[in-house]
Amino acid sequence: MESDKIIELSQVCFQYPGAKSPTLKISQLDIFKKEKVFLYGPSGSGKSTLLEVLSGILQPQQGEVKILGENLVKMTSHQRDRFRANHLGYIFQSFNLIPYLSVEENITLPLVLSPSRRSKLTSADVSAEVERLCQHLGLGDLKSRGVTQLSVGQQQRVAVARALLGNPELILADEPTSSLDHDHRERFIRLLFEECEARGTTVLFVSHDRSLEKIFTRSLSFNEINQGGAE
Ligand SMILES: Nc1ncnc2c1ncn2[C@@H]1O[C@H](COP(=O)(O)OP(=O)(O)O)[C@@H](O)[C@H]1O
Ligand SMILES: [Mg+2]
């Protein structure tokens, strides 16, 4: 039977090389398909580290990290890179847009990196989907503009369009709203949610700022799920 869990983490321990104690010690974390989960915790507690473990960028020393039923820990690093490109959309705190590419080129980058994500769309679909996302996210006239010529709020919406293109099953968002004021933050998350609801995408959003938690379907305290961290 296909599981309704999209993230299933068990007995995970992750320690940075040279650190005195593990940053992550998580006995269990389950996230279900189509949930929109808000995970809050103070700066430096290990939220970004957890997202890197969930996306297979970092390998834990112990435990299982299952995404869509597949254990990342058992994969080769090449398989993990491929899995990430195929199934995950990652919205970084600093957006990680490529400065010498246009808005449209940044948005379509995941399709260049993932043939399987690309294969879900025809070329005509790609143009139509880029156009639709840009319209919905308020980037309609900016497609050919260089991303360095955008405001922070516009850059953030480019990062969202990039994460969504090609329909990855899971979106991981690492405090992408910290540079916006409250009204813009809420509007940004609502746009993200509208797109995710239309596609059945699951969202895991981490932040130190709890003011946005009420618009999510579930809220979790990082310090309650994690026994690791600074001594
Ligand atoms: N590459 C690294 N090497 C060693 N320690 C790191 C590294 N990255 C983060 N840390 C440490 O791990 C802890 C958690 O960091 P991080 O996951 O960035 O927390 P958060 O995202 O909650 O602010 C911090 O103490 C930080 O200094
Ligand atoms: Mg962080």
Side-chain angles (χ1 to χ4, degrees):
M1 193 191 80
E2 203 193 335
S3 166
D4 53 354
K5 288 176 189 169
I6 188 155
I7 294 175
E8 212 177 338
L9 220 122
S10 58
Q11 306 303 332
V12 164
C13 185
F14 173 81
Q15 184 162 345
Y16 282 106
K20 291 202 194 72
S21 59
T23 297
L24 300 179
K25 259 171 88 177
I26 299 179
S27 54
Q28 192 72 32
L29 173 65
D30 292 331
I31 292 180
F32 297 88
K33 288 179 184 163
K34 302 189 185 179
E35 278 197 294
K36 297 191 278 285
V37 175
F38 186 78
L39 182 60
Y40 63 89
S43 287
S45 57
K47 302 180 300 297
S48 296
T49 304
L50 172 62
L51 294 189
E52 292 192 8
V53 165
L54 290 173
S55 56
I57 296 168
L58 293 175
Q59 271 283 77
Q61 285 82 13
Q62 278 174 42
E64 280 192 344
V65 179
K66 284 194 186 163
I67 309 289
L68 291 159
E70 306 239 25
N71 190 357
L72 300 186
V73 177
K74 294 265 162 66
M75 295 180 186
T76 64
S77 72
H78 176 74
Q79 287 171 325
R80 273 195 299 277
D81 289 346
R82 163 127 325 164
F83 189 85
R84 180 185 324 119
N86 289 346
H87 300 290
L88 302 187
Y90 206 116
I91 306 172
F92 296 90
Q93 186 160 21
S94 49
F95 318 140
N96 285 16
L97 301 179
I98 312 295
Y100 50 85
L101 297 181
S102 70
V103 167
E104 180 160 19
E105 288 163 338
N106 268 280
I107 293 173
T108 51
L109 199 60
L111 305 185
V112 178
L113 300 175
S114 167
S116 118
R117 216 156 130 180
R118 174 70 182 79
S119 69
K120 292 186 208 166
L121 299 162
T122 66
S123 298
D125 285 345
V126 173
S127 317
E129 180 63 355
V130 169
E131 181 60 32
R132 196 194 62 74
L133 276 169
C134 285
Q135 289 302 336
H136 184 214
L137 296 171
L139 297 167
D141 303 325
L142 302 173
K143 275 190 307 194
S144 53
R145 184 142 341 153
V147 287
T148 51
Q149 297 167 306
L150 303 179
S151 71
V152 174
Q154 288 165 337
Q155 290 180 26
Q156 184 174 51
R157 284 175 269 143
V158 174
V160 169
R162 182 177 64 182
L164 289 165
L165 192 69
N167 275 335
E169 291 91 335
L170 176 62
I171 300 278
L172 300 173
D174 193 353
E175 314 210 53
T177 56
S178 38
S179 50
L180 296 184
D181 61 43
H182 185 271
D183 288 352
H184 281 93
R185 282 201 299 245
E186 182 158 339
R187 189 174 133 65
F188 162 81
I189 293 174
R190 290 197 189 280
L191 280 173
L192 173 66
F193 283 2
E194 280 172 27
E195 290 291 335
C196 290
E197 276 158 20
R199 298 149 191 260
T201 313
T202 310
V203 181
L204 175 59
F205 190 106
V206 306
S207 181
H208 68 279
D209 169 12
R210 291 182 71 175
S211 66
L212 294 160
E213 73 180 311
K214 58 191 177 304
I215 60 180
F216 287 76
T217 57
R218 181 154 69 110
S219 167
L220 286 172
S221 156
F222 186 74
N223 286 338
E224 275 173 30
I225 63 161
N226 181 40
Q227 270 68 60
E231 304 283 279

